[in-house]
């Protein structure tokens, strides 16, 4: 059995970044920028007033100085003339600062009488002008790869790009396997259970930026699996994920089916709890991941292996789940021969981040998983831990 780290490295070796596609900015949230993007203009494109007030050549101005108001500049409507000594232009936020003016006096600091203003307060350091290019200049580039945030979309718009090149969403096919499975909302027979894992995985994939496709449940026959794997490949999947049937019992048909399909296996079985039967491989450019059927195992392996593969297919650099350190609220016994990813709950305490592992760690317990907000890692053969000891957690 290989370690989790080794299995993650092998899984990542099975995928490579997809090609770029161009999308409208309005559709680009969360997408990964495919290439460095250069601004098409300076922002602001001209020196702009930061306040409502009067644009002046302030040189010697002191309290009591007067200025003749000779024009008006509003956002979208600049004033073309030149502001000389003793002159002022009425100006509003966002308007181009007229030629000759060196500062904007805020309107609260003057009194106006007809076409004359008088300074009522001493001038402060702030000239209330946003210089041309203060935000960015036309040589500014947004570096790739980068998962675009809402703020990035505003920035790219200000850079005057209406469309943006992003990495295509990887296509991930999800195949539930098992004679006992039925989709939710149906009328289960006495021996049946509901196929649940696929809903968590589909949601996790969507959140991570993949295009997920749920195939019909494959019953436990070689023919059904062969047919469904072929359907997934025909759909154009980049990653084909099977759920269940990954062990070596009589009804665990996935490994032989992948062999028949021509998949070159990277590994089968890892030193991990839950998730020991995990397998992975590739056929040409298509990656395969065989998840265990137990719901918690499937979801934990989804976080640790599938989502990093998706991030790699999106061309991202940091693809593994980010680890945090937290203090145990209660002692834990010694770890075992497999790395244990315990379902746990952490919170940001006043003094330190604290984490509590749930008592029930059975890999079929979805109620426990639903209460968990992290996985607490017990490395192989970890020594017993006392309350207050530091452990590694992975938020989920
Ligand atoms: P398997 O890996 O096929 O041996 O399945 C392990 C356990 O997980 C069994 O109790 C299955 O009934 C259950 N199981 C398998 N696939 C699913 C699924 N898609 N949703 C919920 N439970 C499943
Ligand atoms: Mg099964």
């Amino acid at each position: 059995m290989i370690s989790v780290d080794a299995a993650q490295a092998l899984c990542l070796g099975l995928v490579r970044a997809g090609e770029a596609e161009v999308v409208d900015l309005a559709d680009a949230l969360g997408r990964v920028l495919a290439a460095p993007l250069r601004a098409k203009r300076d922002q602001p494109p001209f020196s702009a007033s930061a306040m409502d007030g009067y644009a002046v050549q302030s040189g010697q101005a002191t309290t009591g100085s007067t200025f003749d108001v000779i024009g008006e500049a509003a956002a979208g409507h600049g004033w073309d003339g030149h502001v000389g000594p003793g002159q002022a232009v009425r100006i509003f936020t966002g308007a181009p600062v007229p030629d000759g003016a060196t500062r904007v006096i805020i309107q609260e600091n003057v009194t106006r009488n007809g076409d004359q203003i008088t300074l009522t307060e001493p001038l402060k350091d702030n000239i209330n002008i946003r210089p041309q290019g203060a935000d960015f200049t036309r040589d500014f580039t947004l570096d790739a790869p980068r998962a675009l945030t809402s703020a990035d979309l505003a920035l790219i718009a200000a850079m005057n790009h209406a469309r943006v090149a992003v990495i295509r969403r990887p296509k991930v096919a999800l195949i539930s396997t098992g004679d006992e499975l039925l989709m939710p909302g149906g009328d289960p027979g006495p021996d049946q259970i509901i196929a649940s894992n696929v809903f968590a995985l589909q949601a996790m994939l969507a959140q991570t930026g993949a295009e997920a496709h749920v195939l019909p449940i494959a019953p436990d026959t070689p023919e059904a699996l062969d047919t469904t794997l072929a359907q997934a490949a025909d759909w154009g999947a980049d990653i084909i994920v099977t759920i269940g049937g990954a062990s070596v019992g009589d009804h665990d048909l996935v490994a032989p089916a992948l062999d028949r399909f021509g998949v070159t296996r990277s590994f089968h079985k890892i030193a991990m709890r839950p998730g020991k039967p995990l397998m992975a491989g590739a056929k040409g450019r298509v990656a395969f991941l065989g998840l265990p059927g137990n719901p918690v195992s499937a979801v934990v392996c989804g976080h640790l292996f599938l989502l990093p593969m998706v991030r790699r297919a999106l061309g991202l650099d940091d693809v593994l789940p980010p680890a945090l350190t937290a203090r145990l609220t209660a002692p834990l016994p010694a770890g075992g021969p497999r790395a244990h990813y315990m379902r746990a709950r952490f919170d940001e305490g006043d003094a330190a981040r604290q984490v509590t592992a749930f008592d029930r760690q059975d890999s079929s317990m979805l109620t426990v998983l639903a209460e968990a907000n992290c996985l607490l890692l017990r490395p192989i053969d970890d020594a017993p831990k006392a309350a207050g000891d530091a452990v590694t957690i992975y938020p989920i």
Side-chain angles (χ1 to χ4, degrees):
M1 279 193 292
I2 61 171
S3 69
V4 169
D5 293 355
Q8 281 173 326
L10 287 169
C11 284
L12 293 177
L14 301 174
V15 279
R16 68 182 93 93
E19 324 78 63
E21 63 184 8
V22 176
V23 298
D24 286 344
L25 205 44
D27 299 322
L29 180 66
R31 303 297 301 270
V32 177
L33 193 61
L37 190 66
R38 205 181 166 101
K40 288 187 178 177
R41 62 195 327 241
D42 298 347
Q43 175 60 22
F46 43 78
S47 284
S49 179
M51 301 296 267
D52 291 341
Y54 293 86
V56 299
Q57 229 183 60
S58 58
Q60 309 298 318
T62 53
T63 308
S65 299
T66 59
F67 301 85
D68 295 329
V69 180
I70 56 167
E72 180 171 308
H77 308 278
W79 184 78
D80 263 350
H82 179 89
V83 180
Q87 297 181 320
V89 163
R90 178 73 171 123
I91 195 164
F92 299 94
T93 306
V97 175
D99 185 44
T102 55
R103 78 151 62 215
V104 171
I105 300 172
I106 60 172
Q107 60 195 24
E108 292 84 346
N109 289 354
V110 302
T111 52
R112 181 160 178 168
N113 232 324
D115 280 342
Q116 201 172 59
I117 56 167
T118 305
L119 193 56
T120 55
E121 303 285 330
L123 292 177
K124 306 245 170 61
D125 286 344
N126 194 344
I127 60 168
N128 300 314
I129 291 175
R130 298 181 185 130
Q132 176 174 351
D135 193 0
F136 56 81
T137 57
R138 61 185 57 226
D139 31 281
F140 172 75
T141 41
L142 200 59
D143 286 333
R146 178 185 179 95
L148 297 175
T149 64
S150 51
D152 290 339
L153 301 189
L155 174 56
I156 293 170
M159 289 159 69
N160 200 19
H161 292 277
R163 291 160 69 71
V164 62
V166 295
I167 302 288
R168 144 178 104 66
R169 292 185 192 282
K171 297 174 81 170
V172 182
L174 295 170
I175 303 174
S176 302
T177 74
D179 286 346
E180 76 279 32
L181 299 178
L182 191 75
M183 283 308 237
D187 193 9
D191 303 332
Q192 287 192 297
I193 65 162
I194 310 300
S196 55
N197 312 351
V198 76
F199 289 89
L201 293 167
Q202 196 181 8
M204 289 156 60
L205 288 165
Q207 277 176 340
T208 310
E211 182 188 348
H213 177 46
V214 178
L215 284 122
I217 294 167
D220 285 324
T221 67
E223 299 73 28
L225 260 177
D226 292 350
T227 306
T228 316
L229 286 170
Q231 281 174 2
D234 288 347
W235 173 65
D238 300 296
I239 305 174
I240 298 179
V241 179
T242 57
I243 306 164
S247 307
V248 286
D250 289 349
H251 301 281
D252 293 319
L253 306 172
V254 168
L258 294 187
D259 289 344
R260 280 194 304 281
F261 204 70
V263 174
T264 305
R265 201 180 302 163
S266 301
F267 65 87
H268 187 182
K269 290 197 173 43
I270 56 173
M272 171 182 169
R273 234 181 108 191
K276 178 173 156 196
L278 187 77
M279 70 183 95
K283 179 184 178 185
R285 52 151 214 93
V286 182
F288 289 76
L289 188 66
L291 298 177
N294 263 316
V296 177
S297 314
V299 171
V300 169
C301 289
H303 283 291
L304 294 180
F305 303 96
L306 178 57
L307 298 188
M309 291 167 82
V310 167
R311 293 187 198 105
R312 175 54 53 85
L314 284 167
L316 291 170
D317 291 329
D318 292 326
V319 299
L320 293 176
L324 298 175
T325 300
R327 304 263 164 206
L328 287 171
T329 58
L332 287 174
R338 288 185 280 145
H340 191 181
Y341 289 79
M342 305 181 80
R343 275 65 71 203
R345 211 168 161 87
F346 78 98
D347 62 69
E348 304 290 341
D350 290 339
R353 185 180 299 123
Q354 296 198 310
V355 63
T356 308
F358 289 104
D359 291 335
R360 296 188 306 163
Q361 290 290 332
D362 187 288
S363 61
S364 64
M365 301 282 184
L366 280 174
T367 46
V368 177
L369 184 67
E371 290 308 313
N373 64 0
C374 69
L375 301 172
L376 187 171
L377 170 61
R378 304 300 313 279
I380 292 172
D381 296 331
D382 201 19
K385 295 275 182 212
D389 283 355
V391 290
T392 299
I393 62 168
Y394 298 92
I396 57 171

